[in-house]
Amino acid sequence: MTNKREVTIYDIARKLNVSTATVSRALKNHPAITEKTKKKILETAAEMGYQMNTFASSLRNNRTNTLGLIVPRLNSMFMSDVIAGIEKVVNEAGYNLIISQSLESEEKEKVNARTLFNNRVDGLMVSLASNTQSPEHFRPFIKKGTPVLFFDRVADLDDCPTVVIDNFKAACEVTSHLLSKGYTNLIHVTGNLARNVYRDRYNGFLQALKDHGIDFNPSNLFITDLSRDAGTDVAAKILEMDAKPDAVFVANDSCAVSCMIALRKSNIRIPDDIAFAGFNNDYISRVIEPHLTTVDYKGFEMGQITAQTLIDRLSSKQGSQITRSIVIRHELIIRESSL
Amino acid sequence: MTNKREVTIYDIARKLNVSTATVSRALKNHPAITEKTKKKILETAAEMGYQMNTFASSLRNNRTNTLGLIVPRLNSMFMSDVIAGIEKVVNEAGYNLIISQSLESEEKEKVNARTLFNNRVDGLMVSLASNTQSPEHFRPFIKKGTPVLFFDRVADLDDCPTVVIDNFKAACEVTSHLLSKGYTNLIHVTGNLARNVYRDRYNGFLQALKDHGIDFNPSNLFITDLSRDAGTDVAAKILEMDAKPDAVFVANDSCAVSCMIALRKSNIRIPDDIAFAGFNNDYISRVIEPHLTTVDYKGFEMGQITAQTLIDRLSSKQGSQITRSIVIRHELIIRESSL
DNA sequence: AACAAACATGCAACTGGTTGCATAGAAATT
DNA sequence: AATTTCTATGCAACCAGTTGCATGTTTGTT
């Protein structure tokens, strides 16, 4: 355990016979310092292996240069892409990032929010847990003036900006596609309707049915946790139905896939007996046989935009931006499960 | 943007007519403070909404109560489980966690390491990027006395503890299983042999062949980046081979799956023409038809043990522990792809 | 040359919690 | 009652940058 003391601006100042104020300003590229002095200080700092102590800086500035991120889970390619996009922007802007996962639990989300609050992050990005009832645990940030920004699974909290896709339209497209292929007895499997993503998809689904003049039997709506087990359960219920559906629209791919697997085990043919559509374009949608019709949206792009919006807000002097909601594009991907 | 100043120990001290030293000690449950005083201070602190300023504390202590984590990617269920396990232990011990992904790039790993170093994490957990040549970028931590701990994809760096599975034995088991089913012309698809996981699996594979008295033709070893595209490429190469293999052992599931998909498109029957085995027990191994034989190991457990080992090291006074390597259990899971 | 304006640098207080050492008062001992 | 021992608390320096204001120096103007 070596114990060489850290190099401080005091050491640099002493060595060059200048004040710490000058060193501090030079290191931050303050305009009042001569180029010559700056150069000298920067060189000496590098030479001595100087590294700023961020705590002293944070203590004084009351800024941490750190952003917080809370996501439901870190286990999907989509989320990995989102985070890669966020990291790219965040690192280029010189911020650090603290990531935490709520594991779809409101309780854990609250704890995570509290931790990030205590860590005094300068800004927060959130995609809500599935079962979060109220976003009130984010209010302390807002009260303190720390910008909070939601993406994908968003909350309606004050004027927090949101980055989303048009879930309503996407679901409309999926449903219209199914109807256009001649399927008429549709069921919809989704998650907590308190989440915008599931509520909007459901409404889009209903809208498309309505547009085609088809009535929807509310018993054909399955509200689940969209887990793999839920997919298996839904399959069991479908098998028990007298009037079996001819198409199933599930609000995410992994649940759709487990449902398909369970049905196939009972010799249901897909899409001949029952067609399927999912949502997210997970890799498994291209692994399952038949490949799954789904909706693609770009995680990397969503991450970049989310982070950029937050950073813009942080660096603008007036907090008066009125960007409320950014909608990024999506794409319906038609595969064999619905042909 | 509300601007109520934060409550400090000075405010508490003033209100109760005690010194900040007493407040500080009371809040940290220092034995020198009377229960009565402690109680009074704790109550007042809660009442005033006091929140410790971690920067001031970190600045003084030169400790951050924060641990760093660098992983190759955040996109697998395995990694999500590892992180959940780490978070559980870390949070219970009152530490914070900064997570970053190297995206399998040594350069990004170096940048991440540097960032975490600058953030003065108290300890670091690492699973190496696939193409990392040398772990020297972690040496600054060691020099400074910050414990570094590797898991899964480990490095041999000084006396850093490691948490792994017995990749050699697991690969041996997989290979023996294939051989016992009568397959004799095996190929092995793996990643950078500089990574212990791939080197050990390869050696285990070789050992099993040797035990069964089978020679291995080095041209049947495919070193790739184990991506999905790599799986497709390998499939193309297999199709061009004169003496086609009768079994393929791939060092991860996602590459195995994409290879299987590509081969099936060319009407190769699995396992009749070619059997397959993967590694990791990703969900896709249960989605692909036929389901993929693979090796399971528990991410949550690995995460917990990794974090616990690090925290033990941090809280023990003597840095003299000699735990070098912890091996956790794995399990061969036989499915239809090799029957 | 005299004076003003512009510029570069330094002084010192400030951020908020921590801790070695000193001390006042209480408790224990004689 | 006097002295010693113990204990709870306070003092003040410390951690490492930051920044408003003061000051000294250079440059520009007439």
Side-chain angles (χ1 to χ4, degrees):
Chain A
M1 204 180 289
T2 323
N3 233 353
K4 57 168 184 217
R5 279 266 274 89
E6 299 274 341
V7 180
T8 70
I9 54 170
Y10 293 89
D11 302 324
I12 300 174
R14 201 175 315 118
K15 188 157 190 171
L16 294 178
N17 269 315
V18 294
S19 73
T20 60
T22 304
V23 176
S24 173
R25 291 193 178 106
L27 291 171
K28 305 198 77 190
N29 202 25
H30 190 287
I33 308 293
T34 341
E35 281 308 321
K36 211 196 318 177
T37 322
K38 256 182 216 170
K39 183 152 176 276
K40 205 172 51 178
I41 290 175
L42 253 34
E43 277 169 2
T44 312
E47 192 177 291
M48 297 175 75
Y50 170 78
Q51 246 196 272
M52 189 178 77
N53 184 319
T54 48
F55 309 125
S57 177
S58 294
L59 174 59
R60 187 57 229 240
N61 294 326
N62 214 24
R63 301 188 69 242
T64 58
N65 255 7
T66 299
L67 305 180
L69 172 64
I70 304 179
V71 300
R73 276 216 141 83
L74 297 170
N75 63 358
S76 64
M77 197 62 204
F78 170 71
M79 210 39 99
S80 172
D81 283 349
V82 169
I83 292 172
I86 289 178
E87 276 189 334
K88 179 164 182 284
V89 173
V90 159
N91 291 338
E92 277 170 7
Y95 283 88
N96 295 122
L97 184 65
I98 302 186
I99 304 168
S100 60
Q101 53 182 345
S102 62
L103 300 176
E104 303 286 15
S105 143
E106 179 168 27
E107 273 321 302
K108 189 134 200 303
E109 187 175 278
K110 282 183 184 168
V111 171
N112 290 345
R114 173 129 212 94
T115 302
L116 292 173
F117 188 81
N118 289 341
N119 275 288
R120 289 171 164 74
V121 291
D122 292 339
L124 182 65
M125 293 166 277
V126 182
S127 183
L128 290 173
S130 158
N131 75 351
T132 293
Q133 298 289 327
S134 141
E136 284 304 312
H137 42 293
F138 300 114
R139 198 173 290 285
F141 293 89
I142 296 170
K143 263 209 179 119
K144 197 186 166 198
T146 303
V148 177
L149 199 147
F150 294 94
F151 66 93
D152 200 38
R153 295 191 189 167
V154 305
D156 194 13
L157 184 67
D158 291 8
D159 290 320
C160 297
T162 59
V163 180
V164 291
I165 61 163
D166 190 337
N167 287 287
F168 179 90
K169 183 145 170 276
C172 228
E173 288 166 15
V174 171
T175 312
S176 295
H177 159 71
L178 292 172
L179 295 170
S180 77
K181 291 291 164 190
Y183 305 108
T184 52
N185 186 16
L186 274 54
I187 77 173
H188 183 44
V189 180
T190 191
N192 184 353
L193 293 182
R195 286 291 76 71
N196 64 302
V197 288
Y198 305 125
R199 186 180 56 241
D200 293 353
R201 287 170 201 176
Y202 177 47
N203 287 332
F205 169 78
L206 289 179
Q207 183 64 46
L209 289 176
K210 201 172 158 196
D211 291 348
H212 286 71
I214 294 178
D215 282 340
F216 180 63
N217 180 346
S219 69
N220 280 350
L221 173 67
F222 291 78
I223 294 184
T224 71
D225 61 4
L226 287 175
S227 65
R228 288 172 205 153
D229 288 346
T232 312
D233 293 348
V234 168
K237 284 192 189 132
I238 289 175
L239 290 170
E240 284 171 6
M241 289 170 83
D242 296 326
K244 291 208 179 22
D246 54 11
V248 181
F249 172 29
V250 188
N252 84 18
D253 285 344
S254 72
C255 182
V257 163
S258 65
C259 190
M260 288 165 77
I261 291 175
L263 287 175
R264 291 187 62 193
K265 279 202 183 117
S266 299
N267 296 314
I268 302 280
R269 290 165 306 155
I270 298 169
D272 309 272
D273 298 330
I274 305 182
F276 262 85
F279 211 106
N280 272 17
N281 196 21
D282 278 351
Y283 181 54
I284 45 167
S285 68
R286 274 167 288 162
V287 173
I288 187 76
E289 295 283 353
H291 292 355
L292 179 64
T293 291
T294 188
V295 175
D296 178 71
Y297 54 118
K298 296 288 177 287
F300 193 83
E301 192 182 337
M302 187 174 261
Q304 278 188 301
I305 292 175
T306 302
Q308 195 58 59
T309 308
L310 180 56
I311 287 172
D312 287 349
R313 188 154 289 227
L314 283 170
S315 45
S316 81
K317 280 64 201 164
Q318 57 335 10
S320 63
Q321 277 128 319
I322 33 167
T323 333
R324 278 290 291 121
S325 183
I326 296 171
V327 179
I328 70 170
R329 69 202 147 73
H330 64 265
E331 187 186 356
L332 173 64
I333 299 192
I334 296 169
R335 301 209 184 94
E336 302 89 66
S337 72
S338 64
L339 289 178
Chain B
M1 202 179 289
T2 321
N3 233 353
K4 55 169 184 217
R5 280 265 276 91
E6 299 275 342
V7 179
T8 70
I9 54 170
Y10 294 89
D11 302 325
I12 300 174
R14 199 174 318 117
K15 188 158 192 172
L16 294 178
N17 269 315
V18 294
S19 73
T20 60
T22 304
V23 175
S24 173
R25 290 192 178 108
L27 291 170
K28 307 200 76 191
N29 202 23
H30 190 288
I33 308 293
T34 341
E35 281 308 321
K36 212 197 313 178
T37 324
K38 256 184 217 168
K39 183 153 176 274
K40 204 172 50 179
I41 291 175
L42 253 34
E43 277 168 2
T44 312
E47 193 177 292
M48 298 175 75
Y50 170 79
Q51 244 196 275
M52 189 178 77
N53 184 320
T54 48
F55 310 126
S57 177
S58 292
L59 174 58
R60 185 59 227 244
N61 293 326
N62 214 25
R63 301 188 68 243
T64 58
N65 255 9
T66 299
L67 304 181
L69 172 64
I70 302 178
V71 300
R73 278 215 139 85
L74 298 170
N75 63 357
S76 64
M77 196 61 204
F78 171 71
M79 211 40 101
S80 173
D81 283 349
V82 169
I83 292 172
I86 289 178
E87 276 189 333
K88 179 164 184 284
V89 173
V90 160
N91 292 339
E92 278 170 7
Y95 283 88
N96 295 122
L97 184 65
I98 301 186
I99 305 168
S100 60
Q101 52 182 346
S102 62
L103 300 175
E104 302 287 14
S105 142
E106 178 168 27
E107 273 321 302
K108 188 131 201 303
E109 187 175 278
K110 281 183 184 168
V111 171
N112 290 346
R114 172 129 210 95
T115 302
L116 292 173
F117 188 81
N118 289 342
N119 274 291
R120 289 173 166 73
V121 291
D122 291 340
L124 182 65
M125 293 166 277
V126 182
S127 184
L128 290 173
S130 158
N131 75 350
T132 294
Q133 299 289 324
S134 142
E136 284 304 312
H137 42 294
F138 300 113
R139 198 173 290 285
F141 293 89
I142 297 171
K143 262 208 180 118
K144 197 187 166 197
T146 303
V148 177
L149 199 147
F150 295 94
F151 66 93
D152 200 36
R153 295 191 190 165
V154 305
D156 194 13
L157 185 66
D158 291 8
D159 291 320
C160 297
T162 59
V163 181
V164 290
I165 61 163
D166 190 337
N167 287 287
F168 179 90
K169 183 146 169 275
C172 228
E173 287 166 14
V174 171
T175 312
S176 295
H177 159 70
L178 291 172
L179 295 170
S180 77
K181 292 290 164 191
Y183 305 107
T184 51
N185 186 15
L186 273 56
I187 77 174
H188 182 44
V189 180
T190 191
N192 184 352
L193 293 182
R195 287 290 76 72
N196 64 302
V197 289
Y198 304 125
R199 187 179 56 241
D200 293 353
R201 287 170 202 175
Y202 177 47
N203 287 332
F205 170 78
L206 289 179
Q207 182 65 48
L209 288 177
K210 201 171 157 196
D211 291 348
H212 286 70
I214 295 177
D215 282 340
F216 181 63
N217 180 345
S219 69
N220 280 349
L221 172 67
F222 290 78
I223 295 184
T224 71
D225 63 3
L226 287 175
S227 65
R228 288 172 205 153
D229 288 346
T232 313
D233 294 348
V234 168
K237 283 192 188 133
I238 289 174
L239 290 170
E240 285 171 6
M241 290 170 83
D242 296 325
K244 292 209 176 21
D246 54 11
V248 181
F249 172 28
V250 188
N252 84 18
D253 285 344
S254 71
C255 182
V257 163
S258 64
C259 190
M260 288 166 77
I261 291 175
L263 287 176
R264 290 186 62 191
K265 278 201 183 118
S266 299
N267 296 314
I268 301 279
R269 291 165 305 155
I270 298 168
D272 308 272
D273 298 329
I274 305 183
F276 263 84
F279 211 105
N280 272 19
N281 196 20
D282 278 352
Y283 180 55
I284 44 167
S285 68
R286 274 167 288 162
V287 172
I288 187 76
E289 295 282 350
H291 292 354
L292 178 63
T293 291
T294 188
V295 175
D296 179 71
Y297 55 118
K298 296 288 175 286
F300 193 83
E301 193 181 337
M302 187 175 261
Q304 279 189 300
I305 291 175
T306 302
Q308 195 58 59
T309 307
L310 179 56
I311 287 172
D312 286 350
R313 189 154 289 224
L314 283 169
S315 46
S316 80
K317 279 65 202 165
Q318 61 327 15
S320 64
Q321 276 126 321
I322 32 166
T323 332
R324 278 289 293 119
S325 182
I326 297 171
V327 179
I328 70 171
R329 69 204 147 71
H330 64 265
E331 187 186 357
L332 174 64
I333 300 192
I334 296 168
R335 300 209 184 93
E336 302 88 67
S337 72
S338 63
L339 289 179

